[in-house]
């Protein structure tokens, strides 16, 4: 039977107390069952050292879920996040480890549904006007279609793991405006892309809150570490490894995503 938000709330409070009392993030055991879902920002694309057994999902021990699990030794840890995952991929193939015993779930999803890869390709390869139009198209999708798709994922998580505390992580802004980049995209394109990320985060935060989940905004952690900052935690476009373009580096996972996740617990 699905628990209501009110019924699940005491469990979240208990989990928070456990994490506080044990000093979450320290190298010690935490008695909880943790499942990490989502897309490439959760699997760790861009951080390297991929687990060969994960195949094209490109999961890595340098991703924030694995880093947190290594530091806290939860009772169980299931890592099913996968590069390229959309909302329907999460519901179709990632939810197997969830159960009534699951205490903690993390997830990042929605960027691929909104056409993130195509937006970036369009902006790199085509005109400023075409880039901005493509960003606006993605924003319309976020307004009209994505909320329902996020609802389907979040509802499925609650059905399978009714007592779990769920942390939904967002996406960073990609560019420092007025930064050190001397070539590439125009400042108008960079502003549009940043605005698209903000738009996606706002929509995701709203859907997460409506399901009683915690939204963890990584934007503050990445401020000063965007592309063009001179100290970037994000890969710029890389024609030799296009799949890692615009994804967090290992430093972005450990210095950006991990502290944000920990702070949300």
């Amino acid at each position: 039977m699905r628990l209501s938000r009110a019924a699940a709330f005491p469990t979240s409070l208990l989990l928070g107390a456990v994490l506080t009392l044990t000093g979450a993030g320290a190298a010690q055991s935490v008695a909880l069952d943790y499942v990490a879902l989502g897309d490439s920002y959760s699997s760790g694309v861009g951080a390297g050292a991929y687990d060969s057994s994960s195949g094209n999902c490109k999961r890595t021990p340098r991703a924030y879920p694995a880093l947190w699990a290594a530091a806290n030794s939860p009772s169980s840890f299931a890592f099913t996040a996968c590069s390229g995952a959309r909302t329907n991929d999460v519901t179709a193939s990632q939810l197997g480890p969830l159960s009534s015993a699951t205490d903690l779930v993390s997830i990042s999803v929605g960027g691929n549904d909104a056409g993130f890869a195509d937006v970036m390709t369009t902006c790199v390869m085509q005109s400023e006007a075409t880039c901005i139009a493509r960003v606006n198209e993605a924003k319309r999708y976020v307004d009209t279609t994505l909320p329902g798709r996020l609802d389907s994922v979040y509802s499925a998580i609650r059905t399978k793991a009714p007592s779990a505390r769920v942390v939904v992580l967002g996406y960073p802004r990609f560019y420092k405006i007025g930064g050190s980049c001397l070539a590439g995209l125009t400042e108008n394109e960079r502003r549009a892309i940043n605005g698209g990320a903000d738009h996606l985060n706002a929509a995701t935060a709203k859907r997460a809150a409506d399901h009683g989940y915690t939204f963890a905004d990584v934007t503050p952690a990445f401020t000063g570490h965007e592309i063009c900052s001179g100290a970037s935690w994000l890969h710029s476009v890389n024609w030799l490894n296009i799949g890692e373009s615009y994804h967090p580096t290992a430093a972005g996972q450990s210095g950006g995503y991990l502290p944000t996740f920990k702070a949300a617990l």
Side-chain angles (χ1 to χ4, degrees):
M1 181 179 71
R2 175 178 171 178
L3 285 181
S4 68
R5 236 183 273 172
F9 186 61
T11 302
S12 293
L13 286 178
L14 178 60
L15 174 57
V18 168
L19 292 169
T20 299
L21 291 172
T22 57
Q28 56 192 301
S29 177
V30 177
L32 57 82
D33 298 298
Y34 170 36
V35 180
L37 312 170
D39 57 20
S40 54
Y41 283 74
S42 289
S43 72
V45 170
Y50 305 115
D51 180 354
S52 59
S53 67
S54 70
N56 290 333
C57 286
K58 293 191 173 180
R59 289 185 285 269
T60 171
R62 296 176 180 175
Y64 75 87
L67 292 172
W68 189 89
N72 292 278
S73 299
S75 299
S76 68
F77 171 49
F79 192 11
T80 60
C82 188
S83 176
R86 301 186 180 195
T87 49
N88 61 332
D89 297 311
V90 174
T91 53
S93 61
Q94 294 189 21
L95 303 185
L98 295 178
S99 74
S100 59
T102 303
D103 301 294
L104 177 63
V105 176
S106 64
I107 183 171
S108 62
V109 73
N112 292 315
D113 294 75
F116 161 75
D118 185 63
V119 168
M120 301 311 297
T121 300
T122 298
C123 289
V124 169
M125 299 295 293
Q126 300 192 42
S127 69
E128 178 182 285
T130 303
C131 167
I132 293 172
R134 182 65 185 87
V135 172
N136 289 334
E137 179 185 349
K139 290 167 72 174
R140 286 191 293 273
Y141 179 93
V142 168
D143 289 337
T144 60
T145 305
L146 186 62
R149 297 200 171 191
L150 292 174
D151 283 340
S152 68
V153 174
Y154 299 160
S155 295
I157 292 170
R158 182 58 75 213
T159 297
K160 291 182 69 68
S163 300
R165 184 169 188 167
V166 181
V167 179
V168 178
L169 291 100
Y171 301 92
R173 291 191 187 118
F174 294 101
Y175 290 100
K176 177 177 175 60
I177 304 303
S180 59
C181 294
L182 301 177
L185 303 183
T186 68
E187 290 289 81
N188 286 337
E189 289 172 314
R190 292 174 184 139
R191 287 190 187 92
I193 291 166
N194 284 354
D198 289 344
H199 200 77
L200 175 57
N201 284 335
T204 304
K206 175 64 167 60
R207 300 318 310 140
D210 285 351
H211 286 261
Y213 297 163
T214 299
F215 179 75
D217 183 8
V218 300
T219 303
F222 277 84
T223 298
H225 296 286
E226 310 94 333
I227 298 167
C228 305
S229 67
S232 180
W233 285 348
L234 293 158
H235 293 281
S236 187
V237 63
N238 180 353
W239 297 112
L240 299 179
N241 193 345
I242 200 68
E244 293 195 345
S245 299
Y246 303 106
H247 283 83
T249 62
Q253 288 287 337
S254 63
Y257 270 88
L258 178 61
T260 301
F261 177 50
K262 288 164 59 178
L265 299 177

